[in-house]
Amino acid sequence: MAVTRERLLETLENGWGQYLSTYDALAPKVQVEYLNRQGYARFADVLAHVIAWWRDGLTAVEALTVDPEYRAPSRDVDSFNAQAVADFKDMDEAAVRQAFDDTRRQLIDLVTKMPNTDDAPDEIVARLNIEIVGHLHEHSLADY
């Protein structure tokens, strides 16, 4: 399926936009099962992970806008994810949920303002696809 601005927005507004309420609607036992499969102790940790990658993606897109030759630094994924959880560990879940929604809205604003994906640089479209569409697939609640 082609990556279009509409698909990115649909995923941000409906997929990620319904993510919190979909998780909340799960039975507590199913929530625990989901967290165990994801490898996180609490839902706020999953959200911290997503927020950190989204913020990293926003930084990369901004850099690519200024310098099309920009290459994001190589990341040790496990260390990056552990740091994301550590960065949010002292925040209660309500604050993490707010940070998640604020960052999601930043992405919506970015995608809304960008040129049609056919006219945007491939590196930007690819990064947004990974962070928005691919990441939702990795953390999907559809099987629960």
Side-chain angles (χ1 to χ4, degrees), residues 127-144:
R127 184 65 189 252
L128 291 172
N129 185 49
I130 289 167
E131 299 306 342
I132 297 168
V133 178
H135 218 169
L136 182 60
H137 180 71
E138 289 177 27
H139 300 288
S140 176
L141 293 163
D143 294 336
Y144 296 91

Side-chain angles (χ1 to χ4, degrees), residues 46-115:
V46 175
L47 298 178
H49 158 86
V50 172
I51 294 164
W53 283 107
W54 282 353
R55 288 178 177 171
D56 193 66
L58 284 163
T59 299
V61 168
E62 182 178 304
L64 283 163
T65 302
V66 174
D67 176 11
E69 301 300 317
Y70 170 80
R71 296 295 167 250
S74 178
R75 301 251 186 248
D76 176 297
V77 174
D78 291 337
S79 295
F80 184 87
N81 292 339
Q83 185 61 53
V85 171
D87 289 346
F88 286 84
K89 73 177 170 51
D90 293 331
M91 293 175 70
D92 66 22
E93 187 165 312
V96 178
R97 285 172 175 249
Q98 186 62 55
F100 170 87
D101 199 52
D102 291 345
T103 309
R104 183 181 68 85
R105 290 180 190 281
Q106 287 179 312
L107 283 165
I108 290 170
D109 188 53
L110 173 75
V111 172
T112 300
K113 291 178 180 175
M114 70 183 259

